């Protein structure tokens, strides 16, 4: 038994924040942001939108794309680092919005690798026969954990949600997946306060903190060995991968991965320019974008990869 993708969706909040808008907020320039990151603008959730609202809209789009109704879904899993509440978890909030009952519904937190982690978990449930159709979502409102006075982080992130429907199948689908983590690097990328540490922090509002330059180096090193591992374990040639769907943190990291895979940039799905870094939402939104505009076709070989806070990382080799 395998799982395969039968539908995708995404949702981006209406409000757009451009680099020029940011020039008025912090000491930065459009030129610096574009050349160092590849970002031109990002979307920001409205005051009345929470992560579960974004997740629900992306999930519904994926359900419709698969030609299903919500009642056909028997597993809901959301990767997110910016949940609406401590609990109920975002999976339960999405399940309720979809009007379905009784299915397992939960969220998991693996920062920018959250969608890859969720996809791999759902794949395991399908492969063991416990689940037939899973709704897997990556959704974030990163704008809510930004320190809007910190130019080193607030120019990088955006909000959004992407979703896939995984269905049990006799042929893959997901051919291979790998996940990893290394907790030693927590000081390089973290949120400044949380639930059980709040009493000893100065601020009740968590803010994302990052030593970008150091994260950059570990990200490139880790992702390079990750893609090497995928190639070696599956005994494939680099040229057999049709599309790279990377986490969209920085165009320079993505360029390094394309180089490692000897892939022309036309075969790499890029959304960082208009989405910014949307953490767990970035990979499923990029996937949906390239499927809907017709670039990715049935039968294509896809490599999804992500790296983020924790540190966490993951990759999936998929026959679409
Ligand atoms: O998604 C989770 C994983 N996250 C990532 O993968 C992010 C990885 N890191 C990065 O993408 C990059 O390191 C950044 C985009 C965050 C930064 O780019 P960089 O080329 O590594 O720049 P830097 O941190 O070395 O900073 C270079 C200069 C510094 O000034 P000095 O010390 O050279 O005078 C910074 O203070 O750029 C300055 N700087 C800025 N200048 C204008 C930092 N942020 C800004 C800014 N506008 N927004």
């Amino acid at each position: 038994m395998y799982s395969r993708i039968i539908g995708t969706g995404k949702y981006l909040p209406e409000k757009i924040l451009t680099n020029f808008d940011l020039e008025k907020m912090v000491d930065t320039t459009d030129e610096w942001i574009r050349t160092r990151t590849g970002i031109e603008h990002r979307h920001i959730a409205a005051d009345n939108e929470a992560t579960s609202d974004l997740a629900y809209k992306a999930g519904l789009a994926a359900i419709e794309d698969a030609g299903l109704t919500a009642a056909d879904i028997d597993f809901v899993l959301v990767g997110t680092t910016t949940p609406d509440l401590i609990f109920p978890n975002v999976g339960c909030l999405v399940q309720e919005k979809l009007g379905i009952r009784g299915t397992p519904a939960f969220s998991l937190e693996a920062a920018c690798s959250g969608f890859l982690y969720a996809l791999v978990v759902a794949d395991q449930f399908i492969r063991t026969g416990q689940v037939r159709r899973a709704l897997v979502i990556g959704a974030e409102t990163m704008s809510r954990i930004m320190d809007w006075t910190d130019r080193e982080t607030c120019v990088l992130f955006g909000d959004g949600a992407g979703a896939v429907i995984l269905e049990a199948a006799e042929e893959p689908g997901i051919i291979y997946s790998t996940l990893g983590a290394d907790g030693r690097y927590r000081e390089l990328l973290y949120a400044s306060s949380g639930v059980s540490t709040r009493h000893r922090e100065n601020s009740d509002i968590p803010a994302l903190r990052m030593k970008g330059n150091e994260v950059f180096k570990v990200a490139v090193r880790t992702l390079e060995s990750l893609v090497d591992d995928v190639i070696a374990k599956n005994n494939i040639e680099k040229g057999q991968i049709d599309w790279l769907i990377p986490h969209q943190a920085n165009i320079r990291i993505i360029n390094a991965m394309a180089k490692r895979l000897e892939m022309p940039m036309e075969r790499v799905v890029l959304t960082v320019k208009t989405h910014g870094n949307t953490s767990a939402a970035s990979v499923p939104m990029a996937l949906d974008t390239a499927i809907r505009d017709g670039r990715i076709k049935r039968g294509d070989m896809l490599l999804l990869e992500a790296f983020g806070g924790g540190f966490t990382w993951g990759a999936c080799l998929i026959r679409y």
Side-chain angles (χ1 to χ4, degrees), residues 211-243:
K211 295 198 177 96
N213 196 283
E214 291 173 57
V215 175
F216 189 101
K217 288 179 209 150
V218 187
V220 170
R221 212 168 52 227
T222 307
L223 287 170
E224 282 182 346
S225 61
L226 192 66
V227 300
D228 288 351
D229 166 81
V230 173
I231 300 285
K233 294 260 170 56
N234 291 281
N235 214 4
I236 54 170
E237 303 289 325
K238 288 176 176 171
Q240 285 176 260
I241 297 170
D242 296 301
W243 294 100

Side-chain angles (χ1 to χ4, degrees), residues 102-144:
T103 70
F106 60 108
S107 54
L108 62 78
E109 186 264 302
C112 298
S113 314
F115 175 75
L116 263 300
Y117 266 66
L119 192 68
V120 174
V121 170
D123 178 52
Q124 307 301 312
F125 273 86
I126 289 177
R127 292 177 78 133
T128 54
Q130 286 205 46
V131 166
R132 187 165 153 65
R133 286 197 197 101
L135 170 59
V136 186
I137 304 173
E140 303 279 14
T141 46
M142 297 304 285
S143 62
R144 304 276 153 78

Side-chain angles (χ1 to χ4, degrees), residues 27-29 32 36-37 112 151-152 155-156 189 210 212-213 215-216 219 247 249-250 252-253 277 307-308:
D27 180 18
T28 191
T29 60
W32 189 95
R36 298 289 178 127
T37 72
C112 298
R151 70 172 186 174
E152 299 197 5
V155 304
L156 304 174
L189 180 51
M210 177 164 73
N213 196 283
V215 175
F216 189 101
H247 172 47
N250 188 316
R252 288 149 55 213
I253 299 178
N277 181 349
F307 177 90

